[in-house]
Amino acid sequence: MRKITFPHMGNLFLIAKALFEELGFEVVVPPYNNKSTLEIGKKLSPEFICLPFKLNMGNFIQAIEMGADTIVIFGGCGPCRFGYYGALEKEILKDLGYDVEIIVIEPLFYGFRNFLKQVSKIFARKNVASILKRVYRLAKKVDEIEKKVHFLRPREMVKGSVDKIYERFRKEALEVCGIDQMERLVDTTNVLFDNLYIVNEKVRKIGIVGEIYTIIDSFSSLNIEKILGEMGCEVERNLYISQWIDTHLIYPIFKMKNPIVKRFSKDVMPVLIGGHARETISYARYFSTQNYDGILHIFPLTCMPEIIAKSVLNGIKNRINIPLLHIVIDEVDSDVGIKTRLEAFLDLIEARSEKFERGVLSWD
Amino acid sequence: MKEEFFLGIDIGSVSTNVVLIDINGEVIESMYFRTQGKPIEILQKSLCTLYEKYGDSLKIKGVGTTGSGRHLASLVVGADIVKNEITAHAKAAIFFVPDVRTVIEIGGQDSKIILIKDKIVIDFAMNTICAAGTGSFLDRQAERLNIPIENFGPIAINSKNPVRIAGRCAVFAESDMIHKQQLGHPCEDILFGLCLALARNYLTNLAKGKKLESPILFQGGVAANIAMKKAFEQLLGVQIIVPKYYNVMGAIGIALLAKESTKGLITKFKGFENLHKCRFETKGFECHDCSNFCEIVCFYSNGNLVARWGDKCQKYSSNRNHHIENSKNL
């Protein structure tokens, strides 16, 4: 029987684990992203590749050492290098002498036959449709948990209680098996969260936009969401895993587009340039209309689509008229620098809102 | 000396600054030390120097710490306010030049740009992962040319025909500079070329897309270099102001913030007397309880655990306050 593994990306492992177990495979979940993951990945990756690639490589090696023999990743075409990662990772692992199969699932609209060929390797002799439906529901629920964490962190009565529950949830998720058990775990965690005492303090709302991996995966973003939560900010980001499924797998089937992206990118970026540049721009503009106090733009070093998004955002700065901070992430281990920037950013927001209360409406 | 004073401490990567201001914000004393990688020792030494000079007559009503070592320093001295260096620098800049619009700040490891309007910060940027355009780069190149850093500016300012040096990355700049040296360019032309390269690098990386409006303040340790000031003036085409206390602006800012935050109430400052007797120690270990492998930092004072941080799950850091309250030797 295949022993399937997949790279980490935030809470993706919860969903992928349940899915593959339901399909009857054995699943090897690599250890959470940590320093040694990055260390391994760094050694094997091209020097100027972005951080997600390095972490992926580390995940693979650690999973192979734990006994995995099949790696499933998503691919994709387009100017972002990510589409090429599957092929590159395959070659690197081959050179290292690992005997593993990499299954790259390309999005549907890049060729139906190829998609079926790849997918048939992992989806066999089961009622796929109903499983996928349940997995989708699970993904939605897991994201609800994450949203709840973001909501509760700045408001919790006993500091650290949210994270305690959340960490336990992530730990226990490794021990349960299948969609049903996972769903039950999610439900019990939800009950725990609902019973937390919250205090009504003044909470600032920060919108996070940027490259998908670095904003979803807390290790790579040096726990920015948690840091902000502890500083008394509620965060909301533009991408969650279920939302990614919506945009990339559900919408194309119905020939639809994300309504927010459609509305806010028309005039500044009418065509797709790859990656999530369009999402970044449109959600930054969307957040600025939605009573947010500030926007964080997070992306890994050398990420082309996000660099373009950054320039575009700077170009339309007077139109969005909201504090905007760009944070570039690479193999940095210490979060002191990030904390300094975030602190200064919140000071700026504070000063600005005081100004607003005194009745000045615009800067420039 | 029965007046009330406020202490501002700025622990950066290269320098440790301590300033003393009075109730009106007048700078009574400013001290500048090299951190030399030993922040606690230097901090203790500088405060002892202050104590020796003024003795018991010095009444401290508030203390603030800033800079990359601010959290550590706050544990050592007992600070009323711990703030980031961007806010502190902006505060000091606004205090000295109320109508300031732009602050250029280049320190040892960080360079920042702060845009201000109507006395409040409206935008800022800080160098990201790379530190090519900062003071330590100049420091290293001066060392390589065997020129004391104090003479860097005065020599460079004589240049009539600066050489063009690639400034984007410190590694490129260095090899480019060596190449120009081997061609036999005079020293002052190379030095001023370096200044221009650094200023260009700063303007393209940090100030990109931002409108720099005068009055522009130039502060931080690099502002001591008159050639850097000239380079910025040449590139921007406007006069640049270097404030009197350019190298301790962060410390002044945080002292002003401490003054505001304590509001005449009681201070958490531990006093000078105990400080030099205390022995501080930092130990670290890697926690292997889960696959996060966090590096935990433990801070001891006279052998007592005062604080721990660095963990993601708060197993260690959550009882930080408990330890502070229970440690009698502080």
Side-chain angles (χ1 to χ4, degrees), chain B residues 41-319:
Chain B
E41 257 172 65
I42 298 295
L43 180 60
Q44 277 178 308
K45 205 183 93 190
S46 53
L47 289 183
C48 284
T49 322
L50 202 66
Y51 185 55
E52 276 160 23
K53 195 165 170 189
Y54 292 96
D56 283 322
S57 61
L58 201 58
K59 263 216 174 63
I60 302 291
K61 295 293 279 183
V63 184
T65 57
T66 184
S68 48
R70 59 183 180 277
H71 291 291
L72 193 73
S74 81
L75 288 173
V76 172
V77 298
D80 300 300
I81 186 168
V82 183
K83 263 272 180 264
N84 60 82
E85 48 271 39
I86 298 169
T87 309
H89 271 285
K91 180 85 198 166
I94 295 165
F95 180 75
F96 285 113
V97 184
D99 62 338
V100 58
R101 293 295 309 272
T102 309
V103 178
I104 295 173
E105 203 272 337
I106 305 182
Q109 278 300 308
D110 286 323
S111 51
K112 340 176 170 62
I113 181 163
I114 308 170
L115 302 185
I116 297 168
K117 195 175 181 188
D118 302 333
K119 292 190 184 184
I120 63 168
V121 179
I122 56 164
D123 197 2
F124 72 89
M126 207 168 165
N127 59 330
T128 44
I129 296 154
C130 161
T134 58
S136 13
F137 172 64
L138 278 188
D139 211 17
R140 202 176 70 226
Q141 297 317 320
E143 204 177 306
R144 239 182 51 75
L145 291 165
N146 205 8
I147 293 168
I149 189 74
E150 298 80 30
N151 300 346
F152 192 117
I155 296 175
I157 207 144
N158 295 325
S159 165
K160 295 276 180 301
N161 186 22
V163 294
R164 176 116 192 153
I165 289 171
R168 177 144 301 270
C169 169
V171 180
F172 293 157
E174 187 155 351
S175 63
D176 202 19
M177 188 186 110
I178 291 169
H179 175 66
K180 297 274 157 59
Q181 278 170 345
Q182 311 294 44
L183 292 176
H185 283 287
C187 191
E188 66 260 25
D189 287 351
I190 290 171
L191 288 182
F192 194 56
L194 261 181
C195 292
L196 281 171
L198 210 70
R200 266 202 312 272
N201 181 44
Y202 177 92
L203 292 176
T204 47
N205 281 341
L206 281 182
K208 191 187 277 167
K210 301 191 198 308
K211 246 190 269 155
L212 306 192
E213 279 174 77
S214 348
I216 301 176
L217 279 194
F218 182 23
Q219 51 196 46
V222 174
N225 189 332
I226 46 173
M228 275 306 294
K229 177 175 177 260
K230 193 179 156 193
F232 272 118
E233 280 174 344
Q234 226 172 64
L235 292 175
L236 291 171
V238 287
Q239 276 281 317
I240 284 174
I241 308 160
V242 176
K244 187 179 164 200
Y245 297 104
Y246 61 88
N247 59 353
V248 293
M249 290 294 264
I252 294 174
I254 197 68
L256 291 169
L257 285 167
K259 192 184 109 195
E260 264 174 31
S261 74
T262 50
K263 292 188 190 108
L265 299 172
I266 222 151
T267 173
K268 290 187 207 148
F269 183 51
K270 289 171 185 158
F272 291 109
E273 302 84 16
N274 308 322
L275 209 69
H276 64 278
K277 278 181 254 156
C278 263
R279 197 168 35 79
F280 297 100
E281 208 180 352
T282 305
K283 279 182 203 159
F285 68 91
E286 206 168 76
C287 169
H288 285 270
D289 290 356
C290 74
S291 65
N292 276 331
F293 295 138
C294 303
E295 211 177 310
I296 318 294
V297 180
C298 311
F299 188 66
Y300 296 88
S301 147
N302 284 342
N304 292 350
L305 186 63
V306 185
R308 289 187 289 202
W309 61 87
D311 50 344
K312 290 202 173 89
C313 65
Q314 269 140 6
K315 184 186 284 169
Y316 302 96
S317 56
S318 58
N319 45 12

Side-chain angles (χ1 to χ4, degrees), chain A residues 240-255:
Chain A
Y240 290 89
I241 289 162
S242 62
Q243 217 167 333
W244 182 86
I245 296 173
D246 283 344
T247 332
H248 292 266
L249 302 175
I250 311 277
Y251 286 150
I253 296 174
F254 301 107
K255 295 216 168 13

Side-chain angles (χ1 to χ4, degrees), chain A residues 166-297:
Chain A
Y166 187 51
E167 283 302 316
R168 204 171 114 195
F169 162 65
R170 275 169 64 106
K171 213 168 167 182
E172 275 172 14
L174 294 173
E175 284 150 25
V176 300
C177 184
I179 297 176
D180 286 335
Q181 286 188 21
M182 192 68 84
E183 216 158 329
R184 222 167 299 143
L185 178 68
V186 171
D187 289 339
T188 44
T189 311
N190 255 327
V191 173
L192 286 178
F193 277 136
D194 290 340
N195 283 323
L196 271 181
Y197 281 107
I198 57 171
V199 275
N200 231 345
E201 274 173 24
K202 200 170 150 198
V203 169
R204 297 250 168 250
K205 268 180 104 178
I206 307 282
I208 296 185
V209 296
E211 195 268 336
I212 176 165
Y213 192 95
T214 35
I215 64 172
I216 287 186
D217 190 75
S218 61
F219 172 78
S220 57
S221 66
L222 297 163
N223 272 317
I224 282 183
E225 283 164 355
K226 194 179 159 202
I227 295 172
L228 281 172
E230 283 163 0
M231 288 175 174
C233 293
E234 185 188 339
V235 293
E236 171 76 301
R237 49 175 203 241
N238 69 337
L239 273 163
Y240 290 89
I241 289 162
S242 62
Q243 217 167 333
W244 182 86
I245 296 173
D246 283 344
T247 332
H248 292 266
L249 302 175
I250 311 277
Y251 286 150
I253 296 174
F254 301 107
K255 295 216 168 13
M256 263 164 49
K257 265 187 194 156
N258 186 333
I260 290 170
V261 174
K262 206 171 159 185
R263 185 173 148 210
F264 286 102
S265 68
K266 228 179 345 190
D267 49 343
V268 284
M269 195 176 274
V271 289
L272 185 73
I273 62 150
H276 286 91
R278 268 213 301 195
E279 274 89 346
T280 297
I281 295 167
S282 31
Y283 271 92
R285 290 176 73 185
Y286 169 69
F287 284 148
S288 73
T289 61
Q290 294 294 313
N291 212 4
Y292 278 77
D293 294 296
I295 297 170
L296 274 186
H297 179 204

